[in-house]
């Protein structure tokens, strides 16, 4: 009798484990075919960067074991394959490149494993992470995603609130198979090329509803810089035809610890204001950078605000930027088609070692994207995005950002199993 009871308990426990951990498991294969073509218009030593590759990201996300505290495991396997890359045109951060021969690797890959624990609406993850916060986030702007190694806790136990706390020690860049120390971006010589193996980040976001939120975040990149921000985003209905959109962020950054990257002193205001009517959205944006240095951020990624520069970051010391953008949803002509055009100009740039203290830069950017609608069988999940930019500045030729014409084409498809 005791054996039967024990056997019944084991079977019941096994079934609960299967139902929660195994049966809730999700798997997907994301593929990206990516072409990058940057033609410099004013230099001849490196006339162009051209790389074309195919990427695959296979992801398995388990469910959680039963009980008050649930345990799970996620895994990612990523691989990239060269389709075209001449040795005199590499360096687009699509593929790993031999620093001596400048040859791009024929293939590369990486595997990530993430353990996870969940209690109520609080989840802890440890291992391979792809954070998504305004102070650190995993960039997907090339072939394969940038990943980090560390621990992150996210909680939704407070109504309408997302709280995030994290610690990172290594990064696996978009064009690499190996983990390395976290590095500050030194674009245009703003900071020394310093690294760290320790950073903390955290913050919260409170949603009044799906269109209106406030938040605050902070990061301490050990011995490099500290950064804090407050943010607000809203979508206000003016009448039956018009909506007023706002997206505001204020960052303040300073030095930390040993100051390995040199001085850091920057306050950045990023504001975007838009009007939406039907399929049309008209936006005016501005960046105001003050302090003794430019804006600090992590190497290998971008900054998570409205101004998504294609050929530049618009984050130089004392730079004042304004931007005009028009978005239109073309679903009345082709369902799933969207188009955007933006003009951005930065003035008052302070780069004495790169040409002066009143430099300028500007960029035209065009974005056309088509996503196959849900009702189209088999092809749902396919997305094609084309970006074209025309960029100019009056910096010295040795600057990180040089005048160019740039084309990017990405074809994404996701299978869900």
């Amino acid at each position: 009798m005791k054996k039967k009871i024990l056997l019944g308990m084991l079977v019941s426990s096994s079934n609960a484990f299967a139902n929660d951990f195994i049966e809730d498991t999700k798997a997907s294969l994301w593929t990206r075919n990516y072409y990058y073509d940057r033609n410099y218009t004013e230099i001849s030593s490196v006339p162009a960067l051209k790389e074309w590759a195919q990427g695959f990201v296979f992801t398995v996300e388990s469910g959680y074991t039963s009980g008050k505290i649930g345990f799970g495991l996620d895994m990612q396997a990523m691989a990239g394959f060269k389709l075209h890359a001449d040795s005199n045109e590499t360096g687009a951060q699509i593929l790993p490149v031999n620093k001596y021969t400048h040859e791009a690797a024929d293939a590369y890959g990486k595997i990530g494993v993430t353990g996870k624990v969940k209690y109520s609406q609080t989840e802890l993850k440890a291992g391979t992470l792809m954070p998504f916060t305004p102070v650190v986030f995993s960039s997907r702007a090339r072939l394969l995603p940038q990943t980090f190694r560390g621990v992150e806790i996210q909680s939704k136990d407070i109504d309408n609130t997302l709280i995030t706390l994290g610690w990172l020690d290594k990064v696996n860049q978009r064009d690499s198979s190996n983990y390395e120390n976290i590095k500050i971006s030194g674009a245009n010589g703003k900071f020394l090329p310093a690294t760290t193996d320790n950073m903390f980040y955290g913050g919260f976001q409170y949603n009044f509803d799906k269109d209106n939120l406030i938040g605050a975040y902070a990061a301490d990149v050990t011995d490099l810089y500290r950064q804090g921000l407050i943010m607000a985003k809203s979508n206000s209905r003016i009448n039956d035809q018009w909506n007023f959109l706002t997206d505001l962020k204020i960052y303040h950054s300073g030095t930390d610890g040993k100051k390995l990257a040199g001085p850091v002193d920057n306050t950045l205001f990023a504001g975007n204001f838009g009007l939406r009517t039907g399929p049309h959205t008209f936006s005016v944006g501005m960046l105001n950078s003050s302090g003794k240095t430019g804006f600090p951020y992590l190497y290998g990624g971008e900054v998570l605000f409205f101004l998504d520069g294609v050929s530049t970051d618009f984050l130089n010391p004392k730079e004042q930027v304004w931007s005009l953008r028009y978005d239109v949803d073309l679903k009345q002509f082709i369902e799933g088609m969207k188009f955007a055009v933006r003009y951005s100009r930065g003035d008052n740039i302070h780069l004495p070692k790169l040409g002066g203290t009143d430099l300028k830069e500007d960029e035209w950017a065009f974005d056309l994207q088509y996503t196959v609608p849900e009702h189209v069988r088999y092809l749902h999940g396919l997305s094609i995005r084309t970006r074209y930019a025309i960029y100019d500045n009056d910096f010295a030729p040795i600057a990180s950002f040089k005048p160019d014409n740039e084309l990017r084409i990405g074809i994404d498809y996701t299978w869900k199993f």
Side-chain angles (χ1 to χ4, degrees):
M1 183 67 180
K2 291 182 178 180
K3 290 183 178 179
K4 290 182 179 180
I5 293 173
L6 180 60
L7 181 60
M9 291 174 63
L10 290 173
V11 170
S12 176
S13 175
S14 175
N15 288 339
F17 180 89
N19 288 338
D20 296 327
F21 183 88
I22 298 175
E23 291 188 5
D24 290 343
T25 294
K26 299 180 291 183
S28 65
L29 176 63
W30 173 55
T31 69
R32 168 169 285 181
N33 187 284
Y34 200 83
Y35 176 73
Y36 183 106
D37 184 347
R38 174 179 287 180
N39 287 281
Y40 295 111
T41 57
E42 294 184 7
I43 64 171
S44 58
S45 57
V46 184
L49 300 178
K50 293 182 182 180
E51 295 183 23
W52 181 28
Q54 175 66 52
F56 300 90
V57 178
F58 180 66
T59 302
V60 179
E61 298 178 332
S62 80
Y64 286 94
T65 58
S66 60
K68 288 186 177 181
I69 300 177
F71 297 87
L73 187 69
D74 296 343
M75 292 178 285
Q76 308 90 32
M78 308 183 191
F81 299 91
K82 180 176 70 175
L83 299 177
H84 173 80
D86 290 336
S87 59
N88 62 338
E89 296 177 334
T90 55
Q93 298 183 348
I94 306 294
L95 298 161
V97 175
N98 185 299
K99 64 180 180 180
Y100 301 108
T101 65
H102 305 292
E103 290 283 351
D106 291 330
Y108 72 112
K110 42 193 171 183
I111 295 176
V113 179
T114 309
K116 56 187 183 181
V117 182
K118 188 173 184 179
Y119 175 78
S120 186
Q121 293 299 308
T122 297
E123 186 176 49
L124 181 149
K125 293 185 176 182
T128 300
L129 301 176
M130 287 187 275
F132 192 82
T133 75
V135 289
V136 55
F137 79 102
S138 170
S139 171
R140 292 197 171 197
R142 295 294 191 272
L143 185 69
L144 300 181
Q146 178 192 47
T147 61
F148 294 84
R149 190 179 72 182
V151 179
E152 183 179 81
I153 301 174
Q154 285 196 326
S155 177
K156 297 180 181 178
D157 278 310
I158 300 175
D159 289 345
N160 306 317
T161 304
L162 173 64
I163 298 172
T164 303
L165 296 171
W167 169 82
L168 307 171
D169 72 338
K170 298 291 181 181
V171 61
N172 195 320
Q173 300 291 3
R174 301 170 296 193
D175 57 345
S176 174
S177 299
N178 304 312
Y179 278 103
E180 58 189 61
N181 282 350
I182 296 166
K183 182 179 179 182
I184 190 172
S185 174
N188 281 349
K190 292 193 287 283
F191 305 104
L192 299 176
T195 66
T196 184
D197 61 358
N198 194 50
M199 73 166 287
F200 298 88
Y201 63 97
F204 79 93
Q205 177 179 306
Y206 178 80
N207 288 71
F208 298 97
D209 52 46
K210 66 182 181 66
D211 294 320
N212 300 279
L213 63 88
I214 58 172
Y217 287 84
D220 186 338
V221 188
T222 305
D223 292 327
L224 302 184
Y225 68 90
R226 294 180 180 178
Q227 188 172 87
L229 77 94
I230 57 174
M231 57 186 249
K233 193 172 183 178
S234 69
N235 181 353
S236 304
R237 189 172 182 177
I238 298 174
N239 55 38
D240 291 341
Q241 295 183 328
W242 291 90
N243 283 43
F244 180 62
L245 315 174
T246 60
D247 185 357
L248 307 174
K249 290 186 174 75
I250 300 177
Y251 296 80
H252 179 71
S253 307
T255 51
D256 181 75
K258 298 178 182 178
K259 306 178 183 179
L260 299 180
V264 179
D265 175 28
N266 181 269
T267 298
L268 179 73
F269 169 76
N272 193 51
F273 308 90
L275 286 172
R276 177 181 296 160
T277 177
H280 309 281
T281 303
F282 306 89
S283 303
V284 178
M286 60 189 69
L287 294 179
N288 186 310
S289 186
S290 60
K292 297 177 182 179
T293 72
F295 180 86
Y297 60 98
L298 300 183
Y299 174 81
E302 307 85 30
V303 183
L304 195 61
F305 53 58
F306 74 93
L307 188 56
D308 182 17
V310 179
S311 296
T312 185
D313 61 9
F314 289 107
L315 295 171
N316 297 290
K318 303 185 186 301
E319 184 165 9
Q320 311 297 308
V321 183
W322 61 269
S323 176
L324 298 175
R325 176 167 174 154
Y326 169 65
D327 293 77
V328 59
D329 188 334
L330 298 169
K331 60 183 179 182
Q332 65 183 101
F333 304 105
I334 303 176
E335 186 178 1
M337 185 77 76
K338 295 181 179 180
F339 174 75
V341 57
R342 183 188 65 238
Y343 176 75
S344 303
R345 179 182 174 91
D347 297 285
N348 194 47
I349 299 170
H350 190 86
L351 292 171
K353 296 181 180 180
L354 295 178
T357 57
D358 189 20
L359 302 177
K360 300 176 177 61
E361 63 179 343
D362 69 342
E363 180 183 79
W364 281 96
F366 306 87
D367 195 314
L368 182 64
Q369 182 169 352
Y370 174 69
T371 302
V372 175
E374 292 186 9
H375 62 78
V376 179
R377 196 174 180 183
Y378 302 120
L379 290 179
H380 171 57
L382 176 67
S383 176
I384 303 171
R385 186 182 186 186
T386 300
R387 306 183 76 189
Y388 185 74
I390 303 169
Y391 172 68
D392 194 19
N393 66 42
D394 58 358
F395 304 165
I398 60 172
S400 302
F401 303 118
K402 303 170 175 62
D404 66 48
N405 297 330
E406 182 171 322
L407 173 66
R408 303 184 189 186
I409 302 175
I411 303 174
D412 295 1
Y413 190 80
T414 301
W415 286 271
K416 295 183 179 180
F417 306 103

